[in-house]
Amino acid sequence: MIRHDIKGLYAITPDIADTYQLCEMTQQALRAGVRYVQYRNKLADDRLRLTQAEALTALCRDYGARMIINDHCDLAIMVNADGVHLGKDDMMVSEARDYLGKNKIIGVSCYNQLKLAIGAEKQGADYVAFGAFFPSLTKTDTVKASTRLLSEAKNYLNIPIVAIGGITLENAAKLVNYGCDALAVCHALFNTQCIRSTAASFNQLFTDIETISSS
């Protein structure tokens, strides 16, 4: 199985019906160096979801970025996306692996439960996501995760750890310092006046921590 180096800003798309606008916004993030994009639109019907997933997958290909589909393994196959992200109500990692094949990326939401993450890695997950670390404007039914979970998880996991939930430029550095490999951000990225500069600022946090670690 291929190991995927998931690192830096991990962009999660907002619920937008206008496909052109969605692609324009995503392109700004890609131009800033974002290499992982998750397509997530809870308000779209099947037809719109397919249209948007196809457009975003093609866009990510143009920028050498990875396209991840939230929840829908069938959609990931239809548009030949790079992988899926699974939640608690989706299929098991092992089932998704059989469905998608050995080289697709599978991420798993583990909320605030290290045990879930350990189990997901054993089943073949490529990365896990913990959160919410802060109050989220995207999802209101979240559980609270402690920043200490990130450093603790580093002692048990050999796959990338993604932090999610209410992350902004003002609070993100704390999560990076505690050891997360990537920051999954929606609202604080796409609801800004300049998506490109915001994305660059998020990625700079990882460059800064690498510089400190190597000095």
Side-chain angles (χ1 to χ4, degrees):
M1 186 184 301
I2 299 173
R3 280 190 68 86
H4 299 279
D5 186 21
I6 298 172
K7 192 172 185 178
L9 178 60
Y10 180 170
I12 300 182
T13 61
D15 295 334
I16 293 177
D18 187 329
T19 302
Y20 178 81
Q21 180 186 7
L22 179 62
C23 288
E24 284 286 300
M25 295 168 72
T26 303
Q27 187 175 43
Q28 291 184 49
L30 292 169
R31 285 175 173 168
V34 168
R35 289 297 169 259
Y36 286 86
V37 175
Q38 182 184 137
Y39 172 60
R40 179 185 184 275
N41 192 335
K42 297 296 185 180
L43 301 181
D45 58 22
D46 290 343
R47 178 177 294 183
L48 178 58
R49 194 177 290 121
L50 175 59
T51 298
Q52 293 187 337
E54 286 179 332
L56 287 173
T57 299
L59 184 61
C60 285
R61 293 279 187 275
D62 290 342
Y63 283 86
R66 301 287 190 169
M67 179 65 190
I68 309 297
I69 303 292
N70 181 269
D71 293 347
H72 300 276
C73 287
D74 54 344
L75 181 60
I77 290 176
M78 291 172 69
V79 303
N80 193 27
D82 296 290
V84 295
H85 184 87
L86 305 174
K88 61 182 179 181
D89 298 321
D90 300 319
M91 66 174 63
M92 295 178 62
V93 175
S94 55
E95 294 174 325
R97 179 63 68 200
D98 290 341
Y99 194 58
L100 296 171
K102 64 180 182 178
N103 292 330
K104 294 294 186 181
I105 300 168
I106 298 178
V108 182
S109 291
C110 296
Y111 312 101
N112 58 1
Q113 300 180 48
L114 179 57
K115 184 177 180 180
L116 280 181
I118 294 172
E121 181 178 19
K122 288 180 179 178
Q123 287 189 44
D126 294 289
Y127 73 88
V128 295
F130 292 116
F133 289 95
F134 309 102
S136 173
L137 293 175
T138 305
K139 294 181 68 175
T140 57
D141 58 341
T142 57
V143 296
K144 174 67 175 174
S146 167
T147 51
R148 288 176 296 178
L149 176 61
L150 295 172
S151 54
E152 183 181 3
K154 281 290 187 180
N155 296 323
Y156 292 91
L157 302 175
N158 296 301
I159 55 177
I161 298 169
V162 179
I164 191 170
I167 298 172
T168 67
L169 282 173
E170 289 69 37
N171 60 33
K174 182 177 182 180
L175 301 175
V176 176
N177 290 334
Y178 268 89
C180 73
D181 298 287
L183 297 166
V185 183
C186 179
H187 188 271
L189 173 63
F190 290 108
N191 283 61
T192 56
Q193 289 186 338
C194 185
I195 295 170
R196 185 172 181 174
S197 64
T198 300
S201 295
F202 272 113
N203 275 330
Q204 185 63 40
L205 295 173
F206 292 90
T207 301
D208 292 344
I209 197 71
E210 288 177 356
T211 301
I212 293 172
S213 299
S214 60
S215 62

